[in-house]
Amino acid sequence: MLEKIRYFIRRALRNMRQWPVLCSAAILTMAVALATMATFFLVVLNIQGLATNWSQEIQVVAYFKTPPPRNQRAKLIQQVEAFVDVNQVVFISPTEALKRFSTRLGDDAGLLEGVSRTLLPASLEIRLKSGSHSREGVERVVAELKKDSRFNDVRFGQEWLERFENFVNLLKFAGLFLGSLFLLAALFIVSNTIKLTLYARRDELEIMALVGATKRFIQIPFLLEGALQGFAGGLLALGFLWLSFKLLLEKGLHSFWLTPVGFDPIFLSTEQQFMLVFSGVLLGLLGSLASLRKFVRL
Amino acid sequence: MIQLFNVTKAYGKESVALREMSVHIEKGEFTYVTGPSGAGKTTFLSMLYGASRPTRGQILIDGINITRMARRQIPFLRRKIGVVFQDFKLLNSRSVYENVAFALEAQGKKRYEVSKKVYQALKEVGLEHRLQRRPIELSGGEQQRIAIARALVVDPLILLADEPSGNLDLEVTLEIMELFKRANARGTTVLLATHDNSLYQRFPKRVLGLEAGRLVMDHQP
Ligand SMILES: Nc1ncnc2c1ncn2[C@@H]1O[C@H](COP(=O)(O)OP(=O)(O)OP(=O)(O)O)[C@@H](O)[C@H]1O
Ligand SMILES: [Mg+2]
């Protein structure tokens, strides 16, 4: 058994050495296909990461018609905090609002001198639970708040949120679509490359069949070869991805988002890296299986 | 060892390569298969090792009906049969040793067993000093001897040779005939297809004569 496995591996390796051009062509094709798919995956992963990061910032602001009396504030906050989607509520008094405004004005804060302390309305700043950072979550909270006549106006980045969600959905769809397209293309190219190597070795296949080799005996080294090439292609793709991640994404993102967004670009997790290489092996196996079925007829 | 019952092989409607052929060949026999070009010699031999199937009729080899044989059983039939062709069918990318070892490896033989047998088989044909050469570097006669070593290394019950000396001169042909006779003397049934009449005048043996797909002669010396 062990002897047989060693024999098959030896034959697969020597076949690869014997046809270096075809072998590297197969490896490169798979590497390109896998790297393309993985790049797309990585981009979607990062944009989603960025999106969740941003959506932490989503909050609903409800402005009061008239500032509520001091003794009612705690009860009001409790009421709103009891909503399923709400995490935390902060009361902003007109004084507090004015103070914030003046800090934002910075050097121009002098403009506000002499202005009434109740110029700005009092408001509630409502932070949502992490599961509710979606359009639906925001809309539920807003609908609840609008029932209360004490609020004058309820603000939230609805339009922005909607657009962003659509964008992420589009990206996911495009990733899935292009991903499967690339997968098919890779499978096709790999199976044809392997068909080419089989064609180059048809004498060998014929003679093996002639001296009484079973179908499986003939096929196993080729399958092994496909798997090995897929493995190499997967590793190559991973290396390429990591390099371009280091060079482009990490540096590029940092200079692109001038202000630090508190978001570090994500690379594939260990499991995802493993999956990438494993997909290579699978791709090679399937590719050689597809062409062998047509080629090795006894 | 080999029994044919009313075997017909047709390629399409027009071309019939063998017609109603019936013949018995005993274990250990040496038999020539002769006839003009297109008579059906190659077709006859190719059916014996399962490269093609008869259109009608039955073929028994070593008591087994190979016309009913499942496809995946054919490799096991071929392990009992050595085949030699006019064009050698050697791999020029492999060494002489590897070419002969191929037949044993295909049967899943152990490595030490392979090297021992390959050496013996090459010694038998007088090429043990050419182990690491490529077939293409050798003469036609030497190449055919490698092919014969490959056919005989598995100790086959039957040796089929289709015009083995078609490309070779008389001296080399005689060397090769010597190898076949020695294999035959050890008990291997030999079938040799040729249209070279001088061979069976020199080494009289049973002759099957084919003409246009019909067995027209079965002559024992
Ligand atoms: N694959 C095929 N398809 C169609 N016809 C075939 C095929 N193989 C052989 N034939 C026909 O069968 C007949 C017998 O051919 P075969 O090759 O057996 O003759 P042969 O006696 O070996 O001839 P040669 O001495 O030239 O080798 C010929 O008429 C040939 O044209
Ligand atoms: Mg012929």
Side-chain angles (χ1 to χ4, degrees), chain A residues 174-212:
Chain A
L176 205 70
F177 180 74
L178 285 178
S180 9
L181 213 67
F182 275 122
L183 196 74
L184 273 180
L187 206 63
F188 179 76
I189 294 171
V190 168
S191 107
N192 273 293
T193 314
I194 290 173
K195 217 180 280 173
L196 222 59
T197 74
L198 288 179
Y199 186 73
R201 289 197 291 237
R202 61 197 182 285
D203 289 353
E204 191 179 324
L205 295 176
E206 185 197 343
I207 291 170
M208 277 202 275
L210 202 64
V211 295

Side-chain angles (χ1 to χ4, degrees), chain B residues 3-18:
Chain B
Q3 294 165 288
L4 271 73
F5 300 97
N6 301 317
V7 170
T8 295
K9 176 70 187 181
Y11 294 104
K13 276 201 178 108
E14 300 295 302
S15 156
V16 181
L18 274 187

